[in-house]
Each structure stands twice: as structure tokens, then as C-alpha cells.
Amino acid sequence: MAKWGRSAADVFRSVDRALGGQRAPTRPQRWAARHPIALGLYASAAFALFLLGVSPGEGLTDALIALLGGAVGGLLFSLTAMAERGRQRRLKRLGLWNGPGRHASSGRRRATHAARAALTRVRWPLLGAWAAWWAFLTAVLWLLGLVTGQPADLPGCAAFALLVIILGEIGDRLRRRRAARRTGVPTNAGE
């Protein structure tokens, strides 16, 4: 039985090599491998909103099918990203790829790249998380309106969800600032 599993893995590896699986990963592939859960959440929100938008009716079953379809799509994206993480580890183990940022560069280019990476690290994942959270809250509010018999329009639910997120962020910033005053640690520590 172990021999059969090994031959299946060998067949998979040979097909993978033929399709270019031993090339160095691109920047989106590296990001997906580092953040498989975030990628799954973003994809899940996008699929759910798309399916909600194209559903023919306004019933509860259509909304549940859209949410289930979004969850399945997000799960598939997460599993694919985890497989990409395994591929990147294998490339490192075989010595075919050294990982990101392993080339020598001038000091100025390195500083520019570090500043750009710091901005990207703060901006895009945070905006993506807010967008996924906003889509999720919008869907939940819309579904609650359908379940309680008081259907609300989708733009109204989206606006209220945005208000809830803004108020939550303001409350979180105030909580961090109060904690920082008590402990003397800057508010951006740990981010």
C-alpha cells in the first residue's frame, strides 16, 4: 500500500514539474501561502456577495445557499493556499528557491523596499479584513431582517454595517490608548 502511495506522489510530482511547479513563486503566491485563512475569508465574502447579487429571489433559502456557496469557495481558496505553502517549503528543501528577499541590493533600494513593505503590510491586509468584515456584517443584518419579517434593503444594511465597524474601531482605539497610558507602552506595539 505504501508503494502505491509513493508512486501516486511520484506521478503528481512529475506532472507538477511538467506544468512548471518548480518555478519560484510569484508575489501573490507568496502572500497566499503566508495568509491562507485571510485569503479564504476574502474569497468567501466575495463569493457570498456575488451569489447574493445574482440570486433570483429574496427568500431565506437563496441567502443561505449564497452563504454556503461563499463558505465552500473560501474553503477551496484556503486549501489551495495551504497547498502552495507546502510547495514553497518543498522548493526550499530541494534548494530550488531561497525564499523572498534573498538577493543583495543597495542600501537605498533596501530602505525604499522596507518602507513600501511596511505600508503594504499595514494597509492591504487591514483594508481586506475590514472589507470582509463589512460584507459579513451586511449579510448578517440582511438575513436578520428576512428572518424577523422586517426585510431591509441591502444598501441600508451595508451603511449600518459600516457605521458599526467605524464605531467599533473608534472604541478599540480609545481602549488601546487608555491601556497605553496605564502601562506606558505605545499604542501601535504588537501590530
Side-chain angles (χ1 to χ4, degrees):
M1 187 66 167
K3 204 172 203 183
W4 180 82
R6 183 167 294 197
S7 65
D10 291 341
V11 168
F12 173 76
R13 299 273 189 250
S14 64
V15 170
D16 185 50
R17 270 194 308 275
L19 294 175
Q22 290 190 345
R23 281 189 234 144
T26 61
R27 183 177 291 178
Q29 288 173 327
R30 291 191 310 256
W31 185 89
R34 281 193 314 262
H35 309 287
I37 304 298
L39 178 68
L41 286 174
Y42 300 154
S44 176
F47 278 126
L49 285 177
F50 175 74
L51 292 174
L52 276 174
V54 298
S55 65
E58 298 244 347
L60 182 61
T61 57
D62 290 337
L64 289 176
I65 288 173
L67 289 177
L68 181 66
V72 168
L75 178 67
L76 289 175
F77 268 74
S78 287
L79 291 175
T80 304
M82 287 179 189
E84 176 62 26
R85 179 186 288 181
R87 183 184 83 88
Q88 290 177 17
R89 285 181 182 160
R90 184 171 178 274
L91 289 176
K92 283 183 183 179
R93 188 176 62 243
L94 293 174
L96 299 173
W97 178 60
N98 292 331
R102 300 284 193 243
H103 58 281
S105 62
S106 69
R108 185 175 181 190
R109 183 185 302 165
R110 196 175 358 211
T112 304
H113 178 70
R116 188 179 304 140
L119 279 175
T120 304
R121 204 172 24 249
V122 170
R123 188 175 0 138
W124 293 115
L126 186 61
L127 289 177
W130 282 345
W133 182 238
W134 174 61
F136 175 74
L137 276 179
T138 301
V140 166
L141 289 171
W142 186 70
L143 283 173
L144 282 174
L146 286 178
V147 169
T148 58
Q150 300 172 356
D153 59 338
L154 203 55
C157 291
F160 188 71
L162 186 62
L163 177 68
V164 167
I165 290 172
I166 289 171
L167 291 176
E169 283 297 317
I170 290 171
D172 185 48
R173 298 281 167 116
L174 291 174
R175 179 191 60 81
R176 284 187 200 177
R177 187 172 289 164
R178 195 172 339 134
R181 281 188 196 143
R182 274 188 261 150
T183 61
V185 178
T187 56
N188 60 358
E191 286 183 3

